[in-house]
Amino acid sequence: MPYRLYYWPGLPGRGEFVRLALEEAGAPYVDVGRLPASEGGGAGAVVAARKGALGGIPPFAPPILQAGDLVLAQTAAICAWIGERHGLVPADPEARAHAVQLQLTVMDLVAEAHDTHHPLAIGEYYEAQREAAVVKAAQFRKERMPAFLGYFKRVLAASGGPWLLGETRSYVDLSLFQVLSGLDYAFPQAYAREVPAELQVLRQRVAALPNIAAYLLSSRRQAFNEHGIFRRYPELDG
Amino acid sequence: MPYRLYYWPGLPGRGEFVRLALEEAGAPYVDVGRLPASEGGGAGAVVAARKGALGGIPPFAPPILQAGDLVLAQTAAICAWIGERHGLVPADPEARAHAVQLQLTVMDLVAEAHDTHHPLAIGEYYEAQREAAVVKAAQFRKERMPAFLGYFKRVLAASGGPWLLGETRSYVDLSLFQVLSGLDYAFPQAYAREVPAELQVLRQRVAALPNIAAYLLSSRRQAFNEHGIFRRYPELDG
């Protein structure tokens, strides 16, 4: 039975971290939110899943993965679940714990990147908080983004590379690829200035993995846009 | 060999989620940041650990747990590691994945509670962003806090209780206890208005666990204060 991913249609968002893991794993999945409503998909299906229609421990928010009887939410928890069942992380418990550590740090960076355009109220329009967003984004570009990027460069140095955990690619590499791509989309000037060469190489290395390369060329891959986490608002790029 | 916890002295912070797990487990640990510098402790030891002095995959930020050869960061990763080795979570993989899902949702709530007093710049003083904080906190009290609290009430209903995962207490219950206590400290009026009775009962149930009850009376337990995640600024409680 294929996995079923429930995530909002119309933006890559946090669902994309799950898609990249499923694609690299070669695991069959249905991207329910992107199906037509007439086939049981669309935003309505995601809303229903969010409200607990799939049963089990309820989710707080999408992405939600249905894997047989399991219904699992939280991006990092889903990526770890897939990774541990499809060879996207080493088998030893310490490496798996480090993968979770790194994935959570990737997700912290995702949250901070998101908050640059929604610093005051997650449920309000960007335009209503643009002034605060300009302040928040400046601090993100000058301090937080360089701190995170420098950190992942140090991780590569500590592991010996070429991947974050060392000799084998893991779901964390896929997620960092997505964040680097998103930062490049949202903050092209700051990204070009701040990204360490080692992370650019890692980004290209992920994009060249055969399953990922095929995915990126497919219609399953969605472009970044101004509904998602990473938004190109020129005033936020300084 | 006892665990060694590296976390900033002077505030409970994210270190407290780790301490609660270690205390409930009855696991010996050294709270390195709270040792005198003359015994290798203090903030300097935490700074050094943060900079990678313990070796291995470097941490981005404290808390950091040293467990033999393992050096692990990220609160949720540490709590899961301890929980899985000390009976603070059921053994089956699905329950463990759900525990991670719930712990990550607790940590999302922690991050949003923190950001009420630091909406614009994590490295700047509260006073420099108070106006934005008042806006952010109002939205947190009115929308986000009720959404999260309502969610955890639904989880209790879905699991059947009396604990979040059902019949056995887990590290997630300990963490939710800490968040409820912190919200009660930081937003006493909003908390009293919004907290579901079921979560108040859960909070009391955790406080009555023998190891936790003993811990809360000990000098190892630190009070909330205005250096931490949960700060009592009356203007943020409406």
Side-chain angles (χ1 to χ4, degrees), chain A residues 18-29:
Chain A
V18 179
R19 290 189 195 95
L20 286 165
L22 291 166
E23 294 280 346
E24 176 61 7
Y29 69 100

Side-chain angles (χ1 to χ4, degrees), chain A residues 109 112 137-154 183 187 190-191 193-196 199, chain B residues 60:
Chain A
L109 172 53
E112 293 198 24
Q139 190 254 2
F140 178 76
R141 293 193 313 272
K142 287 174 196 164
E143 294 179 22
R144 302 300 291 171
M145 189 168 93
F148 278 102
L149 295 179
Y151 169 69
F152 285 109
K153 175 181 165 177
R154 292 203 307 280
L183 293 173
F187 307 100
Y191 180 81
R193 203 165 50 233
E194 299 292 349
V195 66
L199 297 189
Chain B
F60 184 70

Side-chain angles (χ1 to χ4, degrees), chain A residues 30-223:
Chain A
V30 178
D31 199 340
V32 180
R34 298 192 75 197
L35 288 179
S38 60
E39 296 175 29
V46 182
V47 168
R50 184 190 186 176
K51 288 185 177 171
L54 306 179
I57 297 288
F60 184 71
I64 303 161
L65 187 76
Q66 192 174 29
D69 289 339
L70 178 71
V71 178
L72 187 63
Q74 281 283 359
T75 310
I78 297 171
C79 287
W81 179 269
I82 295 167
E84 293 178 6
R85 276 147 194 84
H86 293 277
L88 299 184
V89 67
D92 73 277
E94 302 203 350
R96 291 185 168 192
H98 279 137
V100 173
Q101 170 188 325
L102 295 176
Q103 183 71 20
L104 293 179
T105 310
V106 169
M107 300 317 296
D108 285 348
L109 172 53
V110 167
E112 293 198 24
H114 169 274
D115 288 354
T116 59
H117 52 77
H118 276 76
L120 297 186
I122 224 171
E124 300 285 338
Y125 287 109
Y126 166 66
E127 289 70 18
Q129 49 199 311
R130 179 157 32 193
E131 197 176 334
V134 167
V135 175
K136 178 90 168 178
Q139 190 254 2
F140 178 76
R141 293 193 313 272
K142 287 174 196 164
E143 294 179 22
R144 302 300 291 171
M145 189 168 93
F148 278 102
L149 295 179
Y151 169 69
F152 285 109
K153 175 181 165 177
R154 292 203 307 280
V155 171
L156 269 180
S159 76
W163 307 99
L164 286 167
L165 288 177
E167 292 182 8
T168 314
R169 62 91 180 85
S170 72
Y171 65 86
V172 185
D173 298 298
L174 310 177
S175 289
L176 186 58
F177 160 83
Q178 179 65 9
V179 172
L180 294 173
S181 305
L183 293 173
D184 193 6
Y185 175 80
F187 307 100
Q189 297 184 81
Y191 180 81
R193 203 165 50 233
E194 299 292 349
V195 66
E198 295 85 344
L199 297 189
Q200 274 290 74
V201 170
L202 180 68
R203 181 180 167 192
Q204 290 159 1
R205 202 183 295 274
V206 171
L209 290 167
N211 285 1
I212 298 297
Y215 170 62
L216 297 178
L217 289 173
S218 78
S219 62
R220 301 188 301 284
R221 172 74 170 180
Q222 296 169 81

